[in-house]
Amino acid sequence: MTHYRLAMLGFGNVGKSLARLLLAKEQEIASERGLTFSVTGIYTSRHGCALDPAGIDLRKALEAASISELSKLPPASDGMDFVRRVPADVLFENSPVNYDSGQPAVDHIRTALSLGMHAVTANKGPVVHAHRILTDLARAQGKKFYFESAVMDGCPIFSLFRETLPAARLLRFRGVLNSTTNMILSRMEAGDSFETAVAYCQEIGIAETDPSGDIDGWDAAVKVTALANVLMDAELKPQQVIREGIRRLGPGEVLEAKSQNKRWKLVCSAERSGRARSHTPVIARVSPELVGPESPLYRAEGTTSIVQFETDVLGQLTILEENPGPHTTAYGCLADFLNAVSL
Ligand SMILES: NC(=O)c1ccc[n+]([C@@H]2O[C@H](COP(=O)([O-])OP(=O)(O)OC[C@H]3O[C@@H](n4cnc5c(N)ncnc54)[C@H](OP(=O)(O)O)[C@@H]3O)[C@@H](O)[C@H]2O)c1
């Protein structure tokens, strides 16, 4: 049996779902993979911090109002202090995304890798702003920086290209990657006003109080950037994505499209030309498009995400993920951990 000590920075929707999944899969992972683990540190910004080299009781952590009561060591003063002090082999970085700079998650991950930990994150910020530098650092350290859940909530995208498609060149992709806007469009097709559809998304917890990051296409632009930078060696910033959100679409446009057997989708795409592996311009775009039943994107209903990849060797490859959520995001983190220590 090999034992791994895990550190969880961020214990919100994703962190807690990951804790539940670790508990549910503990026996199976031990018997099938010869691997055991303990969580030696949990950090939150307002709900305490627990450090215990002997392992924290995850069931108690999930129930505690403040996890500090479970700590055997003085709590960390901030996220960086936590990363420096936690005795761990793997860091799960699941703090909120910072679209502008990726911080402080970039520094958390850089420090963890420098200290000899693997780093796993669902946070898009470090992928968009520092994917190359963190991947190079991980390689130099003989560790892994994996981020499967940063796009499409745990669905295998990055690992698909990394592990199973050697020598495949990604030429372009098209997809529906933002669940809030897709749900708003689906609800308007069912008769909601724009405002009622937004309120519904807030009620079920997929839209923030200020939903403009989704509605104006920023979240989608960040996801396109992450896919293009990692899978196409692009060096894009989200601001370079040609971007239009869904504000100009109301029930009138959506129902008119429906009467013609078409649907409006906020389509995310990127494309490159030329044959050189690097330094090839990548044009990325987020914009509303009318799609008909002949397109796989037509099927993406509500929170479902879909992406169509076109490679030079396989032609079109489409991945559809139905009803993602923190539980699927948590699975992506678990898969990253197991792949990081097994491959
Ligand atoms: N929710 C999903 O299904 C999903 C899907 C894909 C990707 N993601 C990404 O996964 C990450 C976590 O999402 P979530 O839904 O779990 O968020 P969340 O529920 O808001 O939890 C965030 C956690 O990070 C802590 N935190 C806040 N500010 C911090 C800081 N500056 N340094 C360290 N920790 C800090 C919070 O502390 P408190 O508990 O004290 O507030 C909380 O424990 C985000 O980057 C998100 O974009 C989420």
Side-chain angles (χ1 to χ4, degrees), residues 9-15 43-48 79 93-97 104 108 122-124 149-150 153 325-326 329:
L9 198 165
F11 202 59
N13 295 313
V14 174
Y43 179 85
T44 74
S45 68
R46 294 164 301 147
H47 294 90
E93 214 292 354
N94 288 317
S95 69
V97 60
H108 295 155
N123 188 334
K124 293 173 278 290
S149 295
D153 312 275
T329 307

Side-chain angles (χ1 to χ4, degrees), residues 99-100 128-129 218 221 225 236-243:
Y99 289 120
D100 294 331
V128 167
H129 291 281
W218 276 114
T225 306
L236 288 176
K237 297 278 177 217
Q239 293 77 1
Q240 293 169 288
V241 176
I242 302 160
R243 178 183 52 81

Side-chain angles (χ1 to χ4, degrees), residues 79-144:
M80 283 298 285
D81 186 40
F82 173 78
V83 178
R84 288 197 193 97
R85 287 181 43 214
V86 66
D89 307 300
V90 181
L91 174 74
F92 292 103
E93 214 292 354
N94 288 317
S95 69
V97 60
N98 174 335
Y99 289 120
D100 294 331
S101 67
Q103 294 291 13
V106 173
D107 284 345
H108 295 155
I109 292 170
R110 195 196 322 256
T111 304
L113 291 169
S114 302
L115 291 170
M117 299 180 213
H118 297 289
V120 169
T121 189
N123 188 334
K124 293 173 278 290
V127 184
V128 167
H129 291 281
H131 151 253
R132 198 161 292 176
I133 205 165
L134 294 173
T135 300
D136 288 348
L137 175 59
R139 195 171 294 127
Q141 292 288 93
K143 299 295 165 187
K144 305 291 187 202

Side-chain angles (χ1 to χ4, degrees), residues 242-258:
I242 302 160
R243 178 183 52 81
E244 184 193 351
I246 61 162
R247 278 192 202 274
R248 74 175 159 90
L249 299 177
E253 289 74 13
V254 169
L255 294 174
E256 167 69 19
K258 191 178 170 186

